[in-house]
């Protein structure tokens, strides 16, 4: 048998290349399309991750607010208890307290201690008294009942408190009932 090894023909080399120019163009086009798809999917992934992070942060913030403000209605109802204790303490002058018998003094001491404990519990849950006298009138925290003409205080300054106001966090539970200074004239 004769040796049938073929010697490479330089003209046949183009025929033996695995890809034609059309195949190369189609492959480049497919690579470009796949790169675009990868970029689009990567963008979607990053946006979804950012959305999930924002959702997690919002849920944490809402949970914290719900925890802080959960006691709002209950606290608002307890404000009348605090008011009644203040009235009970204000009903008796210092001279009457000093001249009172031991039972009455003990009763007044008990009311004072109960009021202090109630205010401590309020403070523990983020409920605080609103500052009034000597501060600038704030319609978000104060309710003006009357104006007092005076030269001693600048106009718009709270000069008298009729009823204490309370706030929980940033929110007003009950505005303070106040008298506000106005220019004398």
């Amino acid at each position: 048998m004769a040796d049938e090894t073929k010697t490479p023909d330089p003209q046949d080399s183009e025929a033996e290349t695995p890809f034609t120019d059309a195949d190369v163009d189609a492959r480049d086009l497919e690579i470009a399309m796949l790169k675009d798809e990868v970029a689009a999917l990567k963008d979607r992934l990053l946006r979804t991750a950012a959305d999930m992070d924002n959702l997690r942060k919002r849920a944490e913030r809402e949970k914290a607010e719900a925890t802080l403000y959960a006691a709002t209605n209950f606290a608002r109802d307890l404000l009348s208890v605090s008011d009644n204790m203040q009235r009970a303490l204000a009903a008796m002058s210092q001279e009457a307290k000093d001249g009172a018998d031991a039972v009455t003094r003990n009763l007044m001491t008990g009311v004072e201690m109960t009021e202090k404990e109630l205010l401590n519990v309020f403070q523990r849950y983020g409920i605080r008294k609103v500052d009034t006298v000597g501060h600038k009138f704030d319609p978000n925290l104060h309710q003006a009942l009357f104006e007092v003409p005076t030269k001693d205080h600048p106009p718009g300054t709270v000069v008298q408190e009729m009823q204490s106001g309370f706030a929980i966090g940033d929110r007003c539970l009950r505005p303070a009932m106040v008298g506000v200074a106005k220019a004398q004239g």
Side-chain angles (χ1 to χ4, degrees):
M1 270 193 51
D3 189 8
E4 289 193 28
T5 56
K6 239 183 174 181
T7 57
D9 184 0
Q11 291 180 358
D12 283 347
S13 66
E14 282 185 29
E16 290 183 19
T17 56
F19 302 109
T20 63
D21 287 342
D23 289 339
V24 171
D25 288 343
R27 210 168 117 210
D28 287 345
L29 180 63
E30 185 178 1
I31 289 172
M33 288 172 45
L34 289 173
K35 284 182 178 180
D36 289 345
E37 185 178 350
V38 166
L41 290 173
K42 185 176 180 181
D43 183 59
R44 254 177 76 194
L45 176 67
L46 291 174
R47 289 178 188 274
T48 302
D51 286 345
M52 293 305 295
D53 191 46
N54 289 339
L55 179 64
R56 181 187 52 79
K57 288 177 183 176
R58 185 172 61 230
E60 287 174 2
R61 185 176 57 247
E62 288 174 357
K63 179 183 173 190
E65 284 181 3
T67 301
L68 177 64
Y69 298 121
T72 299
N73 290 333
F74 182 67
R76 194 173 285 131
D77 291 341
L78 283 180
L79 294 180
S80 62
V81 174
S82 175
D83 292 340
N84 287 335
M85 287 186 192
Q86 286 178 357
R87 286 186 199 105
L89 294 171
M92 188 175 241
S93 68
Q94 188 60 42
E95 296 83 27
K97 287 178 191 175
D98 293 340
D101 62 0
V103 172
T104 305
R105 278 196 306 270
N106 288 340
L107 177 66
M108 293 305 289
T109 302
V111 172
E112 288 172 354
M113 290 172 57
T114 304
E115 182 196 26
K116 285 179 185 176
E117 183 61 25
L118 180 62
L119 293 176
N120 286 337
V121 170
F122 279 174
Q123 187 176 26
R124 204 174 315 138
Y125 288 93
I127 302 165
R128 60 178 169 68
K129 268 189 170 183
V130 174
D131 294 328
T132 56
V133 177
H135 290 86
K136 185 88 173 143
F137 176 78
D138 181 356
N140 297 315
L141 299 174
H142 306 128
Q143 183 174 346
L145 298 179
F146 54 89
E147 291 183 319
V148 178
T150 181
K151 291 181 181 178
D152 298 335
H153 302 283
T157 303
V158 176
V159 293
Q160 188 176 0
E161 178 182 272
M162 303 303 292
Q163 183 181 42
S164 297
F166 288 86
I168 183 169
D170 302 5
R171 297 181 187 173
C172 182
L173 278 175
R174 180 181 74 189
M177 306 293 185
V178 298
V180 182
K182 75 173 187 173
Q184 201 171 30

